[in-house]
Structure formats: C-alpha cells, structure tokens
C-alpha cells in the first residue's frame, strides 16, 4: 500500500519562502521518479517539478529559477523548496509517485501567498 504524506504548506507573504516535504512508504522509493503538482481553485492540476531516480530535474517554465525539487532516499522523502513566492503560486500542492501502471497521490498541502 503506497502512501504519500505532504507537509509544510501555510500562509506566506509575497517574496517569501516555504519548503514542502513528502514522506513516501510502501515501495522502493529510490527506484522511482517523484513529482510535485499543484491545483488552484477553479483550475486544472498542473505539473510543478519532477526528479527522476537518477536525480535528473525538470521544472515547469513558471517555476524555473524559484523552485527546487530534491530527494533524500535514505529518508524516503522528496522536497520542494519554494522561493520568491507570488500570489499566483497559491494552490493545493500534491506529491506524486509514478509506479506504472498506476499513479499515486498524497492528500495535498495548501500554500497561500498573500499580504
């Protein structure tokens, strides 16, 4: 039974920073790519960043230069460091693991960027 548990969301002012964490269990974490997605109210879920099992990084264009994805295989944890946050970053952020043929999701953690 795959489980993904996110934490670290909250309310932050524009220009501030947050670090999200996702603790995984139920599979061999180091063998799989991990991703962060987000979904704002009234919008579709979108990919934020991916880190492969080999450590290769991919980011959505709007997040490049501000967000950093990383992983600690010893802790079965993937992180999303978010800097220079903007109001348009406000969304529910979800951890994702692609274990084909299935995709697994955490419960989400809310990030709100507002003055």
């Amino acid at each position: 039974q795959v489980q993904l548990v996110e934490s670290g969301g909250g309310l932050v002012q524009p220009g501030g920073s947050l670090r999200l964490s996702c603790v995984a269990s139920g599979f061999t974490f180091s063998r799989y790519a991990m991703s962060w997605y987000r979904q704002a109210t009234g919008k579709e879920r979108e990919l934020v960043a991916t880190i492969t099992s080999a450590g290769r990084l991919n980011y959505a264009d709007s997040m490049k230069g501000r967000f950093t994805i990383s992983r600690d295989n010893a802790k079965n944890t993937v992180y999303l460091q978010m800097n220079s946050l903007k109001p348009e970053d406000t969304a529910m952020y979800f951890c994702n693991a692609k274990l084909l043929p299935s995709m697994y999701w955490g419960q989400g953690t809310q990030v709100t960027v507002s003055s």
Side-chain angles (χ1 to χ4, degrees):
Q1 52 275 40
V2 172
Q3 289 189 322
L4 305 171
V5 181
E6 303 98 329
S7 62
L11 176 64
V12 64
Q13 293 185 337
S17 298
L18 284 174
R19 189 178 76 156
L20 308 183
S21 299
C22 171
V23 179
S25 60
F27 64 101
T28 305
F29 179 80
S30 62
R31 296 181 181 176
Y32 296 95
M34 300 294 297
S35 296
W36 288 94
Y37 288 73
R38 70 184 186 186
Q39 187 169 23
T41 301
K43 293 189 175 182
E44 295 185 349
R45 191 168 298 186
E46 65 175 344
L47 177 66
V48 174
T50 297
I51 183 166
T52 72
S53 60
R56 201 180 325 276
L57 310 176
N58 291 283
Y59 299 95
D61 288 342
S62 63
M63 268 66 78
K64 287 183 178 178
R66 299 190 299 120
F67 291 10
T68 303
I69 189 170
S70 62
R71 66 192 298 161
D72 186 339
N73 289 337
K75 297 181 178 179
N76 282 12
T77 302
V78 61
Y79 304 95
L80 184 68
Q81 178 68 47
M82 304 186 293
N83 299 324
S84 302
L85 284 163
K86 305 174 181 179
E88 50 263 45
D89 295 318
T90 296
M92 187 75 73
Y93 284 72
F94 297 91
C95 183
N96 167 265
K98 185 169 69 176
L99 283 65
L100 294 177
S102 299
M103 297 271 281
Y104 295 91
W105 302 92
Q107 83 289 344
T109 185
Q110 178 68 36
V111 172
T112 302
V113 184
S114 176
S115 298

